[in-house]
Protein backbone atom coordinates (compact mmCIF):
# COMPACT_ATOMS: atom_id res chain seq x y z
CA UNK A 1 0.00 0.00 0.00
CA UNK A 2 1.26 3.47 -0.80
CA UNK A 3 0.24 7.09 -0.79
CA UNK A 4 -0.82 8.78 -4.00
CA UNK A 5 0.29 12.41 -3.81
CA UNK A 6 -0.68 12.87 -7.45
CA UNK A 7 -4.35 12.62 -6.45
CA UNK A 8 -5.48 16.10 -5.52
CA UNK A 9 -6.94 16.74 -2.09
CA UNK A 10 -8.99 19.93 -2.12
CA UNK A 11 -10.03 22.10 0.79
CA UNK A 12 -13.29 20.23 1.51
CA UNK A 13 -11.62 16.82 1.59
CA UNK A 14 -8.75 18.25 3.64
CA UNK A 15 -11.17 19.63 6.20
CA UNK A 16 -12.90 16.24 6.41
CA UNK A 17 -9.57 14.48 7.00
CA UNK A 18 -8.55 16.93 9.75
CA UNK A 19 -11.99 17.35 11.32
CA UNK A 20 -11.60 14.73 14.04
CA UNK A 21 -8.49 16.56 15.21
CA UNK A 22 -10.32 19.89 14.96
CA UNK A 23 -13.53 19.15 16.83
CA UNK A 24 -12.13 17.93 20.14
CA UNK A 25 -12.55 20.31 23.05
CA UNK A 26 -9.77 18.78 25.17
CA UNK A 27 -5.99 18.77 24.53
CA UNK A 28 -4.95 15.93 22.24
CA UNK A 29 -2.13 14.60 20.12
CA UNK A 30 -2.24 14.38 16.35
CA UNK A 31 -0.06 12.64 13.80
CA UNK A 32 -0.04 13.65 10.14
CA UNK A 33 1.40 11.29 7.52
CA UNK A 34 2.15 12.06 3.89
CA UNK A 35 1.72 15.84 3.94
CA UNK A 36 3.85 18.26 1.99
CA UNK A 37 4.60 21.90 2.90
CA UNK A 38 1.61 24.00 1.94
CA UNK A 39 -0.76 21.06 1.40
CA UNK A 40 -4.47 21.65 2.21
CA UNK A 41 -4.49 18.84 4.81
CA UNK A 42 -1.47 20.31 6.61
CA UNK A 43 -3.15 23.73 6.58
CA UNK A 44 -6.38 22.23 8.01
CA UNK A 45 -4.47 20.38 10.73
CA UNK A 46 -2.54 23.52 11.70
CA UNK A 47 -5.78 25.52 11.81
CA UNK A 48 -7.15 22.91 14.23
CA UNK A 49 -4.36 23.38 16.77
CA UNK A 50 -5.64 24.52 20.17
CA UNK A 51 -3.86 25.19 23.48
CA UNK A 52 -2.42 21.94 24.81
CA UNK A 53 -2.49 20.17 21.42
CA UNK A 54 0.57 18.55 19.86
CA UNK A 55 0.94 17.71 16.18
CA UNK A 56 3.69 15.51 14.73
CA UNK A 57 4.29 15.49 10.98
CA UNK A 58 5.96 12.48 9.36
CA UNK A 59 8.01 13.77 6.44
CA UNK A 60 10.45 11.96 4.18
CA UNK A 61 14.13 12.87 4.80
CA UNK A 62 14.38 14.88 1.58
CA UNK A 63 11.46 17.16 2.59
CA UNK A 64 12.02 17.33 6.36
CA UNK A 65 14.06 20.53 6.26
CA UNK A 66 11.55 22.29 4.02
CA UNK A 67 8.71 21.12 6.30
CA UNK A 68 10.47 22.47 9.41
CA UNK A 69 11.09 25.78 7.71
CA UNK A 70 7.45 25.94 6.63
CA UNK A 71 6.26 25.34 10.21
CA UNK A 72 8.68 27.92 11.63
CA UNK A 73 7.34 30.45 9.15
CA UNK A 74 3.86 30.06 10.66
CA UNK A 75 5.01 31.70 13.90
CA UNK A 76 5.65 30.59 17.45
CA UNK A 77 2.06 29.41 18.00
CA UNK A 78 2.48 26.68 15.37
CA UNK A 79 6.21 26.02 15.84
CA UNK A 80 5.77 25.43 19.56
CA UNK A 81 3.06 22.81 19.04
CA UNK A 82 4.50 20.86 16.11
CA UNK A 83 7.49 18.71 15.36
CA UNK A 84 8.81 16.82 12.36
CA UNK A 85 10.05 13.21 12.24
CA UNK A 86 11.40 11.38 9.21
CA UNK A 87 9.91 7.92 9.83
CA UNK A 88 6.63 6.58 11.15
CA UNK A 89 8.58 4.42 13.60
CA UNK A 90 9.95 7.60 15.21
CA UNK A 91 6.49 8.90 16.05
CA UNK A 92 4.71 8.29 19.33
CA UNK A 93 1.12 6.95 19.30
CA UNK A 94 -1.42 9.74 18.86
CA UNK A 95 -5.11 10.32 19.55
CA UNK A 96 -5.80 11.09 15.89
CA UNK A 97 -3.70 9.81 12.99
CA UNK A 98 -4.38 11.54 9.65
CA UNK A 99 -3.16 10.32 6.26
CA UNK A 100 -2.84 13.41 4.10
CA UNK A 101 -2.72 11.87 0.61
CA UNK A 102 -5.31 9.47 -0.82
CA UNK A 103 -4.32 5.86 -0.23
CA UNK A 104 -3.55 3.59 -3.17
CA UNK A 105 -4.61 -0.01 -2.62
CA UNK A 106 -3.10 -1.65 -5.67
CA UNK A 107 0.55 -2.36 -4.88
CA UNK A 108 0.26 -5.42 -2.63
CA UNK A 109 1.59 -3.73 0.52
CA UNK A 110 -1.81 -3.00 2.04
CA UNK A 111 -1.66 -5.18 5.15
CA UNK A 112 1.86 -4.09 6.10
CA UNK A 113 1.07 -0.42 5.70
CA UNK A 114 -2.18 -0.64 7.68
CA UNK A 115 -0.42 -2.38 10.54
CA UNK A 116 2.20 0.37 10.66
CA UNK A 117 -0.57 2.96 10.90
CA UNK A 118 -2.48 1.05 13.57
CA UNK A 119 0.70 0.88 15.67
CA UNK A 120 0.69 4.66 16.08
CA UNK A 121 -2.98 5.02 17.03
CA UNK A 122 -3.65 5.26 20.75
CA UNK A 123 -6.19 2.94 22.38
CA UNK A 124 -9.67 4.17 21.39
CA UNK A 125 -7.94 6.65 19.07
CA UNK A 126 -8.87 7.28 15.46
CA UNK A 127 -7.23 6.75 12.08
CA UNK A 128 -8.50 8.97 9.26
CA UNK A 129 -7.69 8.20 5.65
CA UNK A 130 -9.10 8.86 2.20
CA UNK A 131 -9.45 6.52 -0.75
CA UNK A 132 -10.64 7.21 -4.31
CA UNK A 133 -14.43 7.10 -4.47
CA UNK A 134 -14.16 5.07 -7.67
CA UNK A 135 -11.94 2.09 -8.29
CA UNK A 136 -10.99 -1.11 -6.46
CA UNK A 137 -10.26 -1.20 -2.74
CA UNK A 138 -8.01 -3.87 -1.25
CA UNK A 139 -9.65 -6.58 0.86
CA UNK A 140 -7.52 -5.64 3.86
CA UNK A 141 -8.84 -2.08 3.81
CA UNK A 142 -12.41 -3.20 3.18
CA UNK A 143 -12.30 -5.53 6.19
CA UNK A 144 -10.75 -2.84 8.36
CA UNK A 145 -13.47 -0.35 7.44
CA UNK A 146 -16.20 -2.91 8.08
CA UNK A 147 -14.83 -3.71 11.55
CA UNK A 148 -13.60 -0.34 12.75
CA UNK A 149 -15.26 2.30 10.54
CA UNK A 150 -17.31 4.77 12.58
CA UNK A 151 -17.84 7.49 9.96
CA UNK A 152 -17.62 7.93 6.21
CA UNK A 153 -17.79 11.10 4.15
CA UNK A 154 -18.18 11.15 0.38
CA UNK A 155 -16.53 14.30 -0.97
CA UNK A 156 -17.92 14.65 -4.47
CA UNK A 157 -16.62 18.19 -4.89
CA UNK A 158 -13.05 16.91 -4.83
CA UNK A 159 -11.31 16.03 -8.09
CA UNK A 160 -11.18 13.10 -8.14
CA UNK A 161 -14.03 12.38 -5.66
CA UNK A 162 -12.81 10.81 -2.41
CA UNK A 163 -14.25 8.79 0.47
CA UNK A 164 -12.88 9.83 3.84
CA UNK A 165 -13.01 7.01 6.40
CA UNK A 166 -12.69 7.38 10.16
CA UNK A 167 -11.59 4.19 11.90
CA UNK A 168 -11.67 3.83 15.68
CA UNK A 169 -9.73 1.10 17.45
CA UNK A 170 -11.45 0.42 20.77
CA UNK A 171 -14.48 2.01 22.41
CA UNK A 172 -14.58 5.72 23.07
CA UNK A 173 -16.18 6.98 26.28
CA UNK A 174 -19.65 8.51 25.84
CA UNK A 175 -18.62 11.37 28.14
CA UNK A 176 -15.97 12.39 25.59
CA UNK A 177 -18.76 13.35 23.19
CA UNK A 178 -19.82 16.19 25.47
CA UNK A 179 -16.52 17.95 24.66
CA UNK A 180 -16.91 17.63 20.89
CA UNK A 181 -18.07 20.16 18.35
CA UNK A 182 -20.48 18.75 15.74
CA UNK A 183 -18.67 16.92 12.95
CA UNK A 184 -18.02 18.67 9.67
CA UNK A 185 -20.27 17.23 6.96
CA UNK A 186 -19.09 17.62 3.34
CA UNK A 187 -22.63 16.57 2.39
CA UNK A 188 -23.78 20.02 3.56
CA UNK A 189 -23.00 22.48 0.76
CA UNK A 190 -22.69 26.15 1.86
CA UNK A 191 -24.89 28.71 0.12
CA UNK A 192 -24.48 31.62 2.53
CA UNK A 193 -22.68 32.03 5.85
CA UNK A 194 -25.61 30.56 7.81
CA UNK A 195 -27.42 28.48 5.20
CA UNK A 196 -26.37 25.21 3.57
CA UNK A 197 -28.07 22.74 1.24
CA UNK A 198 -27.69 19.01 1.80
CA UNK A 199 -26.03 17.26 -1.14
CA UNK A 200 -29.31 15.43 -1.79
CA UNK A 201 -30.87 18.80 -2.53
CA UNK A 202 -28.08 19.74 -4.91
CA UNK A 203 -28.62 16.45 -6.75
CA UNK A 204 -32.41 16.87 -6.81
CA UNK A 205 -32.14 20.42 -8.14
CA UNK A 206 -29.67 19.31 -10.80
CA UNK A 207 -31.99 16.50 -11.90
CA UNK A 208 -34.87 18.96 -12.23
CA UNK A 209 -32.77 21.35 -14.30
CA UNK A 210 -31.53 18.46 -16.43
CA UNK A 211 -35.11 17.40 -17.09
CA UNK A 212 -35.94 20.98 -18.12
CA UNK A 213 -33.03 21.08 -20.58
CA UNK A 214 -34.02 17.69 -22.02
CA UNK A 215 -37.66 18.72 -22.48
CA UNK A 216 -36.62 21.94 -24.11
CA UNK A 217 -34.53 20.05 -26.65
CA UNK A 218 -37.12 17.34 -27.31
CA UNK A 219 -40.09 19.73 -27.53
CA UNK A 220 -38.65 23.20 -28.26
CA UNK A 221 -42.05 24.77 -28.99
CA UNK A 222 -43.64 23.51 -25.79
CA UNK A 223 -43.63 25.31 -22.44
CA UNK A 224 -43.56 22.00 -20.57
CA UNK A 225 -39.88 22.51 -19.73
CA UNK A 226 -40.89 25.31 -17.38
CA UNK A 227 -42.41 22.82 -14.93
CA UNK A 228 -39.12 21.14 -13.86
CA UNK A 229 -37.21 24.40 -14.32
CA UNK A 230 -39.45 26.25 -11.86
CA UNK A 231 -39.48 23.26 -9.51
CA UNK A 232 -35.67 23.07 -9.23
CA UNK A 233 -35.28 25.83 -6.64
CA UNK A 234 -38.16 24.70 -4.35
CA UNK A 235 -36.95 21.10 -4.51
CA UNK A 236 -33.41 22.13 -3.57
CA UNK A 237 -34.77 24.40 -0.82
CA UNK A 238 -36.52 21.43 0.77
CA UNK A 239 -33.05 20.13 1.64
CA UNK A 240 -31.91 23.39 3.23
CA UNK A 241 -29.59 22.95 6.17
CA UNK A 242 -29.23 26.11 8.30
CA UNK A 243 -26.59 26.56 10.98
CA UNK A 244 -27.95 26.21 14.50
CA UNK A 245 -26.84 27.47 17.93
CA UNK A 246 -26.74 24.37 20.15
CA UNK A 247 -27.23 24.89 23.93
CA UNK A 248 -24.10 24.23 25.99
CA UNK A 249 -25.79 22.62 29.02
CA UNK A 250 -24.94 18.92 29.26
CA UNK A 251 -28.34 18.20 30.83
CA UNK A 252 -30.27 19.68 27.91
CA UNK A 253 -31.85 17.41 25.28
CA UNK A 254 -32.53 19.25 22.02
CA UNK A 255 -35.07 18.65 19.28
CA UNK A 256 -33.99 16.17 16.62
CA UNK A 257 -35.77 18.17 13.93
CA UNK A 258 -37.83 21.24 13.20
CA UNK A 259 -41.59 20.86 13.49
CA UNK A 260 -44.59 20.77 15.81
CA UNK A 261 -44.75 18.63 18.93
CA UNK A 262 -47.38 15.93 18.38
CA UNK A 263 -47.23 14.23 21.77
CA UNK A 264 -45.32 14.03 25.03
CA UNK A 265 -46.01 10.80 26.89
CA UNK A 266 -44.68 7.98 28.98
CA UNK A 267 -44.81 4.65 27.15
CA UNK A 268 -43.61 1.10 27.53
CA UNK A 269 -41.92 -0.18 24.39
CA UNK A 270 -40.69 -3.77 24.43
CA UNK A 271 -38.60 -3.16 21.32
CA UNK A 272 -36.15 -1.32 23.53
CA UNK A 273 -36.02 -3.88 26.31
CA UNK A 274 -32.56 -5.03 25.24
CA UNK A 275 -31.27 -1.49 25.73
CA UNK A 276 -31.79 -1.64 29.48
CA UNK A 277 -31.53 -5.38 30.01
CA UNK A 278 -35.16 -5.77 31.00
CA UNK A 279 -38.57 -5.64 29.35
CA UNK A 280 -41.26 -3.21 30.45
CA UNK A 281 -38.97 -0.19 30.86
CA UNK A 282 -40.88 3.08 30.79
CA UNK A 283 -39.75 5.73 28.33
CA UNK A 284 -40.46 9.42 27.95
CA UNK A 285 -41.26 9.98 24.28
CA UNK A 286 -41.40 13.35 22.54
CA UNK A 287 -42.83 13.08 19.01
CA UNK A 288 -42.41 15.91 16.48
CA UNK A 289 -44.19 16.24 13.14
CA UNK A 290 -42.37 17.77 10.17
CA UNK A 291 -44.44 19.32 7.40
CA UNK A 292 -43.06 19.62 3.88
CA UNK A 293 -42.16 23.23 4.70
CA UNK A 294 -39.94 22.35 7.67
CA UNK A 295 -36.20 21.73 7.61
CA UNK A 296 -35.78 17.97 7.22
CA UNK A 297 -32.14 17.58 8.25
CA UNK A 298 -32.07 15.57 11.50
CA UNK A 299 -29.75 16.25 14.43
CA UNK A 300 -28.67 14.20 17.41
CA UNK A 301 -30.64 15.30 20.49
CA UNK A 302 -27.86 14.21 22.87
CA UNK A 303 -24.09 13.79 22.95
CA UNK A 304 -22.78 10.24 23.25
CA UNK A 305 -21.62 7.07 21.51
CA UNK A 306 -23.78 5.39 18.87
CA UNK A 307 -24.31 1.80 20.02
CA UNK A 308 -26.94 0.61 17.55
CA UNK A 309 -28.73 1.62 14.36
CA UNK A 310 -31.63 -0.52 13.16
CA UNK A 311 -34.57 -0.24 10.80
CA UNK A 312 -38.12 -1.56 11.00
CA UNK A 313 -40.50 -2.16 8.15
CA UNK A 314 -44.01 -0.76 8.20
CA UNK A 315 -46.50 1.42 6.38
CA UNK A 316 -46.66 5.01 5.18
CA UNK A 317 -49.53 6.50 7.17
CA UNK A 318 -49.68 10.31 7.52
CA UNK A 319 -47.01 11.21 10.06
CA UNK A 320 -49.40 13.25 12.23
CA UNK A 321 -51.74 10.26 12.71
CA UNK A 322 -51.51 7.63 15.45
CA UNK A 323 -51.05 4.95 12.77
CA UNK A 324 -47.64 6.46 11.98
CA UNK A 325 -46.42 4.59 15.05
CA UNK A 326 -46.13 1.59 12.74
CA UNK A 327 -44.55 3.33 9.76
CA UNK A 328 -41.16 2.47 8.31
CA UNK A 329 -38.60 3.82 10.77
CA UNK A 330 -34.89 3.98 11.53
CA UNK A 331 -33.76 3.98 15.17
CA UNK A 332 -30.44 5.36 16.38
CA UNK A 333 -29.42 4.34 19.90
CA UNK A 334 -26.97 6.63 21.71
CA UNK A 335 -25.18 5.81 24.96
CA UNK A 336 -24.74 8.93 27.11
CA UNK A 337 -23.20 9.47 30.56
CA UNK A 338 -26.77 9.74 31.94
CA UNK A 339 -28.40 6.79 30.22
CA UNK A 340 -29.35 5.57 26.79
CA UNK A 341 -31.42 7.65 24.40
CA UNK A 342 -33.13 6.62 21.18
CA UNK A 343 -34.16 8.81 18.28
CA UNK A 344 -36.49 7.47 15.61
CA UNK A 345 -36.78 8.78 12.06
CA UNK A 346 -40.26 7.85 10.78
CA UNK A 347 -41.61 8.04 7.27
CA UNK A 348 -44.93 9.70 6.49
CA UNK A 349 -47.46 9.71 3.67
CA UNK A 350 -45.03 11.33 1.23
CA UNK A 351 -41.73 10.45 2.92
CA UNK A 352 -40.40 7.28 1.36
CA UNK A 353 -36.70 7.42 2.12
CA UNK A 354 -34.81 7.79 5.37
CA UNK A 355 -31.15 8.79 5.20
CA UNK A 356 -29.15 7.87 8.31
CA UNK A 357 -25.42 8.60 8.33
CA UNK A 358 -24.78 7.49 11.93
CA UNK A 359 -22.50 4.49 12.42
CA UNK A 360 -22.06 2.25 15.45
CA UNK A 361 -19.04 3.31 17.49
CA UNK A 362 -19.13 6.97 16.43
CA UNK A 363 -19.18 9.79 18.93
CA UNK A 364 -21.87 12.34 18.10
CA UNK A 365 -22.06 15.82 19.53
CA UNK A 366 -25.37 17.25 20.63
CA UNK A 367 -27.01 18.97 17.68
CA UNK A 368 -24.81 17.17 15.15
CA UNK A 369 -26.33 16.46 11.74
CA UNK A 370 -26.72 12.75 11.17
CA UNK A 371 -29.42 12.26 8.53
CA UNK A 372 -32.66 13.44 6.96
CA UNK A 373 -36.10 12.27 5.86
CA UNK A 374 -37.58 13.22 2.51
CA UNK A 375 -40.92 15.04 2.25
CA UNK A 376 -43.03 15.16 5.42
CA UNK A 377 -42.20 12.94 8.36
CA UNK A 378 -41.79 12.56 12.11
CA UNK A 379 -39.00 12.22 14.66
CA UNK A 380 -39.43 10.62 18.10
CA UNK A 381 -37.00 10.98 20.99
CA UNK A 382 -37.04 8.28 23.69
CA UNK A 383 -35.45 8.90 27.10
CA UNK A 384 -35.58 6.81 30.30
CA UNK A 385 -38.71 8.11 32.06
CA UNK A 386 -37.09 8.04 35.50
CA UNK A 387 -34.09 10.12 34.38
CA UNK A 388 -35.59 12.85 32.21
CA UNK A 389 -38.41 15.37 32.21
CA UNK A 390 -40.11 17.01 29.25
CA UNK A 391 -39.95 20.78 28.77
CA UNK A 392 -42.34 21.07 25.82
CA UNK A 393 -46.02 20.38 25.29
CA UNK A 394 -48.12 19.22 22.31
CA UNK A 395 -48.70 21.98 19.78
CA UNK A 396 -45.44 23.84 20.43
CA UNK A 397 -43.03 24.58 17.59
CA UNK A 398 -39.45 23.39 18.01
CA UNK A 399 -36.20 24.06 16.13
CA UNK A 400 -33.86 21.14 15.52
CA UNK A 401 -30.59 21.39 17.41
CA UNK A 402 -31.71 24.52 19.31
CA UNK A 403 -34.96 23.98 21.22
CA UNK A 404 -34.52 22.18 24.55
CA UNK A 405 -37.32 19.61 24.57
CA UNK A 406 -36.29 17.71 27.72
CA UNK A 407 -33.72 17.70 30.49
CA UNK A 408 -31.82 14.92 32.21
CA UNK A 409 -32.71 14.93 35.91
CA UNK A 410 -29.74 12.97 37.30
Amino acid sequence: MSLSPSSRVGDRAARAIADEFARHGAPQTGLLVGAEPGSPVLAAALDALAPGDELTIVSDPESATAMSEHLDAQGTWVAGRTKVVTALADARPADVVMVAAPVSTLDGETAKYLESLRAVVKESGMLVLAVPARGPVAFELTDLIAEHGVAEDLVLRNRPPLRVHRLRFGLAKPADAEKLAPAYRPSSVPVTGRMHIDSNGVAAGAIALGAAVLLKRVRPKSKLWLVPALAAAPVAAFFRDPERSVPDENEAVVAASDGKVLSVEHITDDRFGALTGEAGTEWLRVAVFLSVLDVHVNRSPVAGRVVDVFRESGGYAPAMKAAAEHNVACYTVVDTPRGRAVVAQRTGLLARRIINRAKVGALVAKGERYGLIRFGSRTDIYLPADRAEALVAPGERVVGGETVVARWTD
Side-chain angles (χ1 to χ4, degrees), residues 67-210:
M67 178 64 76
S68 296
E69 292 174 350
H70 176 78
L71 297 175
D72 289 340
Q74 308 304 308
T76 55
W77 170 265
V78 169
R81 291 167 174 80
T82 58
K83 68 176 182 179
V84 178
V85 297
T86 56
L88 195 59
D90 296 332
R92 291 184 297 177
D95 297 307
V96 182
V97 177
M98 300 160 281
V99 183
V103 176
S104 168
T105 60
L106 302 176
D107 60 8
E109 297 294 328
T110 303
K112 181 179 178 181
Y113 183 71
L114 292 176
E115 285 302 317
S116 67
L117 290 175
R118 289 187 63 172
V120 291
V121 180
K122 282 186 178 179
E123 183 179 358
S124 77
M126 184 168 288
L127 170 63
V128 186
L129 52 80
V131 299
R134 303 185 184 93
V137 177
F139 289 118
E140 294 90 342
L141 183 55
T142 301
D143 292 343
L144 199 66
I145 292 170
E147 184 176 358
H148 299 285
V150 296
E152 176 185 329
D153 291 315
L154 175 60
V155 189
L156 289 173
R157 295 179 68 188
N158 196 80
R159 293 294 178 268
L162 297 174
R163 288 189 184 275
V164 178
H165 294 281
R166 304 183 191 186
L167 314 177
R168 189 182 296 283
F169 304 101
L171 292 178
K173 298 177 181 178
D176 291 342
E178 295 185 337
K179 306 172 186 176
L180 296 178
Y184 168 67
R185 300 293 186 191
S187 57
S188 186
V189 180
V191 178
T192 67
R194 298 287 298 176
M195 180 60 69
H196 297 230
I197 298 291
D198 189 86
S199 57
N200 283 267
V202 176
I207 290 172
L209 290 176

Side-chain angles (χ1 to χ4, degrees), residues 117 226 252 266 366:
L117 290 175
L226 288 172
H266 284 195
K366 181 166 55 184

Side-chain angles (χ1 to χ4, degrees), residues 10 34 80 100 120 128 153 172 217 234 267 271 313 364 370 387 396:
V120 291
V128 186
D153 291 315
R217 289 181 177 178
I267 65 169
R271 291 174 299 179
S313 58
V364 291
Y370 79 98
R387 300 183 186 179
E396 292 185 25

Side-chain angles (χ1 to χ4, degrees), residues 183-365:
Y184 168 67
R185 300 293 186 191
S187 57
S188 186
V189 180
V191 178
T192 67
R194 298 287 298 176
M195 180 60 69
H196 297 230
I197 298 291
D198 189 86
S199 57
N200 283 267
V202 176
I207 290 172
L209 290 176
V213 171
L214 181 61
L215 285 171
K216 181 67 174 177
R217 289 181 177 178
V218 173
R219 302 182 63 180
K221 296 182 179 181
S222 172
K223 299 296 184 181
L224 188 60
W225 65 273
L226 288 172
V227 175
L230 294 175
V235 167
F238 172 83
F239 296 92
R240 65 194 182 280
D241 180 14
E243 292 290 338
R244 294 288 163 79
S245 299
V246 183
D248 293 333
E249 299 86 352
N250 291 335
E251 297 78 14
V253 179
V254 299
S257 65
D258 290 16
K260 183 174 71 173
V261 177
L262 283 177
S263 63
V264 179
E265 57 189 332
H266 284 195
I267 65 169
T268 300
D269 198 321
D270 290 337
R271 291 174 299 179
F272 303 148
L275 303 182
T276 58
E278 58 184 63
T281 298
E282 192 174 41
W283 297 85
L284 167 65
R285 184 177 70 180
V286 179
V288 173
F289 167 70
L290 297 77
S291 75
V292 293
L293 299 179
D294 286 314
V295 172
H296 276 58
V297 171
N298 302 145
R299 297 170 179 267
S300 176
V302 295
R305 185 181 73 236
V306 178
V307 294
D308 197 9
V309 178
F310 63 93
R311 296 177 181 260
E312 285 196 342
S313 58
Y316 296 96
M320 74 291 291
K321 303 294 185 181
E325 175 83 16
H326 306 291
N327 280 1
V328 172
C330 182
Y331 296 85
T332 302
V333 185
V334 181
D335 213 352
T336 82
R338 297 163 183 81
R340 284 192 170 177
V342 183
V343 58
Q345 299 166 282
R346 299 191 188 280
T347 59
L349 180 63
L350 297 177
R352 296 291 165 135
R353 186 181 180 192
I354 295 171
I355 297 172
N356 187 307
R357 299 181 176 119
K359 289 184 179 293
V360 174
L363 290 180
V364 291

